[in-house]
Amino acid sequence: PEIVRLAGATPVIVETKASDGYILQPDDLAAAITPKTKMLIFCNPSNPTGAVHSREEQEALAKVLAQDNAAKVWVMADEIYERITYDGVE
C-alpha cells in the first residue's frame, strides 16, 4: 500500500479468506472496481500466504477485468516468488 500512496493514489485492499485458500475471488475483485480504479497489483504466488492462483483462477479474474467498467484497469503482476513454490504447484 505504501508504494501506491507514494504515487499519490489511494490503495484499496481486497481481503482474501482462509476459506477460499486466500485466493482472490472474481466477485470480490469486481466489487472493488470503481470508476477511480487504475491498477490491480496482482501477487502470484502471494506473500505471506503462499496461495497460488491456478491458470483457471487467473482467467476468471481476467474476465472481470475485461468487463466494460474495468476496461481501463492496468494489471501489474508481481511474480517475484514464481520460482519459490512447493509440492509441484505451478
Side-chain angles (χ1 to χ4, degrees):
E2 295 309 315
I3 194 76
V4 174
R5 287 186 188 97
L6 183 63
T10 303
V12 174
I13 312 266
V14 181
E15 298 289 337
T16 57
K17 303 173 202 80
S19 60
D20 293 326
Y22 297 105
I23 297 296
L24 178 59
Q25 298 301 302
D27 289 342
D28 295 336
L29 175 60
I33 294 173
T34 72
K36 290 185 173 186
T37 304
K38 303 295 182 212
M39 180 177 284
L40 167 66
I41 300 175
F42 182 66
C43 302
N44 190 47
S46 180
N47 183 20
T49 67
V52 179
H53 291 71
S54 69
R55 180 181 191 92
E56 293 79 17
E57 290 163 335
Q58 291 177 61
E59 288 172 351
L61 297 175
K63 285 182 183 178
V64 171
L65 295 168
Q67 300 297 317
D68 288 340
N69 67 323
K72 295 184 179 182
V73 176
W74 288 79
V75 177
M76 181 178 78
D78 179 353
E79 300 169 349
I80 191 73
Y81 300 107
E82 177 183 25
R83 304 266 185 239
I84 307 173
T85 58
Y86 304 96
D87 300 326
V89 175
E90 290 186 29

